[in-house]
Amino acid sequence: VSSRLAIWLLLAAVVACGNPQHAAVPAPAHDPLVPELDAIRRLATSAPRAFDVVRSLTDEVGARSAGSPGDKLAVAWARRAMPASGLRDVRTEPVMVKHWVRGEESAAVVSPFAHKLSVAALGGSVGARGLEAQVVMFDDLDALTKADTAGVAGKIVFLDTPMHRSRDGSEYGRVVPNRMRGAAVAAKLGAVGLLIRSVGSDHNRLPHTGMMREAPIPAAALSVPDAELLHRLVARGAPVRVTMTLGAHMEGTSESANVIGEVRGRELPSDIVLLGAHLDSWDLGTGAIDDGAGCAIALEAARLVAELPPPRRTLRVVLFANEEHGLDGGKAYAKAHAGEASHHVAALEADTGAGLVYRIRALGGPGTAAILASLVSHAALGIAADGKPAWGGADISPLRELGVPLVDVSQDTSDYFDFHHTANDTLDKIDPTSLEQAAVYFASVAYELATTPEEMGPIPPAERRSD
Ligand SMILES: [Zn+2]
């Protein structure tokens, strides 16, 4: 791990020095933190710890969907892991979460040819017991929205939109409305159930679950090969009938928690750089890439920062409760901390797996361009800034609405959506070297944001809403 990591980081520095854009960046007026940032790289190279953190979370806790026993174990795990990563003042803030349970599930094509189908209920779906109906297929949610009740009523809607790979995750954004809103739209047209082609870029025979908006009909994802089979059968023209049984049901609400720890700032301790990830996962895998990797990046970044001279401001790590099924932790944090929103000088989130960092973006007030230029010449050495505004992350999106400035340290998601929300989201999918590289960049960027005399300033009101 360490020699490959050293090569990556050296390469990044060489690329940055040979980059004409880099040469055009004006020299910063303040101490560029070179010794501290070098120390972060050296510490990470000589004794990388990020992989060990995600191994511990996935092996010792595993699946941890909101409200489940694993969720409670994960909170206890985080309370132990934070001090071990150098974080102090570790505490929990309670978050009430929905407790949805999958139960047993199965589906099959009944006619014209019998086939078992590999399915997973979408998070929040109601159950079904031997529901059987004819399938009506649509290319995407738009096509379904324009459909007549006559063609849909009494049928199982099948939404079949292929998803491709994308480094920036944009394909997920394009296809995920099928999962979020498909059942609600289909129910309005009188459908009795929904099947979607998994929102995933793989061809494994494993379905991808994920949250859906509340709807009165059962909804499930088909693995990509099963969706392609169903597509071929429906395309023959003769009626295709499918049956499904979903044990999915809601078990009420349960208490979980956001887990918070800090590296206290030496000059402005009440000013905060927030580094977040989410502690919960879906139930099918062990939540290694989503978001064990992000938890490991945040904790490893904290460990690296905690070994340096303290930053001027406080680095606050938040491991959020229930991102997956309603963003309860992110909403609760923003509500509980609205009074200190103006003291949050920046927020970052690690929630796109364990891929290599390749890009940095920022969104804030008048100081943003200068801070970004400074980050690109020091902490974000060797990674590209394309000038577009940061998105932030799901858990910190409620902070965006309060004007908290955001920085994206973007990771390559080319293979993330092969495994995302499936039983295949397990530790072996993580490359320890790229995970550590991501932790180094998050640590370096967070350290510089917490130490530079400048501030981005709040996001202008017109740009506070994300979509
Ligand atoms: Zn996630």
Side-chain angles (χ1 to χ4, degrees):
V1 170
S2 50
S3 62
R4 277 182 64 204
L5 183 66
I7 290 165
W8 266 115
L9 295 171
L10 186 68
L11 210 60
V14 169
V15 167
C17 293
N19 182 347
Q21 275 185 334
H22 170 70
V25 173
H30 60 88
D31 174 2
L33 310 171
V34 167
E36 291 89 341
L37 299 173
D38 280 351
I40 288 176
R41 295 186 181 98
R42 209 169 43 244
L43 284 164
T45 309
S46 59
R49 292 260 300 275
F51 188 74
D52 211 41
V53 174
V54 66
R55 182 207 49 74
S56 168
L57 177 59
T58 55
D59 285 359
E60 296 160 27
V61 177
R64 48 198 181 278
S65 59
S68 69
D71 185 12
K72 289 185 170 55
L73 286 175
V75 170
W77 175 90
R79 292 194 68 138
R80 295 192 304 273
M82 280 193 172
S85 297
L87 290 160
R88 297 289 171 262
D89 194 17
V90 174
R91 69 254 189 207
T92 53
E93 295 181 350
V95 179
M96 293 310 292
V97 300
K98 287 171 281 199
H99 184 201
W100 175 83
V101 174
R102 174 175 306 282
E104 293 296 314
E105 52 196 7
S106 62
V109 179
V110 179
S111 64
F113 311 109
H115 291 280
K116 273 191 183 174
L117 296 169
S118 174
V119 288
L122 301 184
S125 175
V126 297
R129 192 180 261 265
L131 170 70
E132 188 189 317
Q134 189 183 329
V135 171
V136 55
M137 178 168 75
F138 295 92
D139 288 342
D140 53 32
L141 191 60
D142 262 6
L144 174 64
T145 307
K146 290 176 192 140
D148 280 344
T149 309
V152 173
K155 295 183 177 153
I156 292 174
V157 165
F158 170 40
L159 286 177
D160 184 40
T161 313
M163 174 176 154
H164 310 288
R165 288 165 194 281
S166 55
R167 185 165 74 158
D168 64 359
S170 54
E171 273 287 288
Y172 182 68
R174 182 177 69 85
V175 179
V176 80
N178 284 4
R179 194 191 77 207
M180 291 297 286
R181 292 173 24 227
V185 173
K188 242 185 213 163
L189 294 167
V192 294
L194 174 80
L195 289 170
I196 62 167
R197 176 181 172 126
S198 278
V199 182
S201 46
D202 59 293
H203 270 81
N204 298 312
R205 206 169 177 190
L206 292 173
H208 297 238
T209 190
M211 186 190 168
M212 60 179 268
R213 294 223 187 116
E214 216 167 288
I217 59 171
L222 291 167
S223 80
V224 169
D226 288 282
E228 292 184 349
L229 165 69
L230 191 57
H231 181 112
R232 291 190 300 272
L233 295 180
V234 173
R236 295 171 77 251
V240 175
R241 294 185 70 80
V242 161
T243 178
M244 63 177 175
T245 292
L246 304 179
H249 62 280
M250 206 63 86
E251 290 205 347
T253 54
S254 165
E255 189 178 305
S256 184
N258 290 332
V259 187
I260 301 174
E262 294 177 344
V263 177
R264 194 176 157 84
R266 66 173 192 267
E267 279 177 33
L268 300 165
S270 55
D271 282 4
I272 295 151
V273 171
L274 186 150
L275 173 54
H278 66 85
L279 193 51
D280 67 305
S281 74
W282 278 110
D283 57 330
L284 296 172
T286 58
I289 60 164
D290 188 11
D291 186 22
C295 294
I297 288 167
L299 292 178
E300 174 68 342
R303 197 236 349 156
L304 296 169
V305 168
E307 294 206 27
L308 302 178
R312 295 178 69 227
R313 306 178 185 86
T314 293
L315 172 65
R316 178 181 288 173
V317 171
V318 183
L319 298 186
F320 291 96
N322 192 22
E323 184 272 342
E324 297 292 2
H325 200 182
L327 216 59
D328 293 319
K331 289 175 187 163
Y333 180 88
K335 200 172 165 197
H337 296 270
E340 59 171 356
S342 64
H343 282 280
H344 285 65
V345 301
L348 300 78
E349 178 161 9
D351 183 21
T352 45
L356 287 169
V357 171
Y358 71 97
R359 188 185 68 197
I360 183 162
R361 288 176 169 176
L363 175 66
T368 302
I371 293 248
L372 188 61
S374 181
L375 290 173
V376 168
S377 14
H378 314 122
L381 204 63
I383 68 175
D386 64 1
K388 293 192 177 148
W391 172 68
D395 296 291
I396 58 176
S397 60
L399 292 176
R400 176 186 180 142
E401 290 167 25
L402 300 175
V404 173
L406 307 174
V407 175
D408 284 355
V409 178
S410 309
Q411 295 170 259
D412 188 326
T413 61
S414 300
D415 66 359
Y416 180 65
F417 294 102
D418 287 1
F419 312 117
H420 180 253
H421 295 186
T422 72
N424 241 341
D425 178 2
T426 48
L427 187 67
D428 52 295
K429 309 308 181 304
I430 293 181
D431 172 5
T433 305
S434 65
L435 181 70
E436 192 71 25
Q437 184 259 22
V440 166
Y441 277 119
F442 272 91
S444 304
V445 169
Y447 189 82
E448 180 158 352
L449 288 168
T451 303
T452 175
E454 286 103 47
E455 290 186 17
M456 289 191 275
I459 302 175
E463 293 164 56
R464 290 182 185 183
R465 281 199 60 81
S466 57
D467 3 82

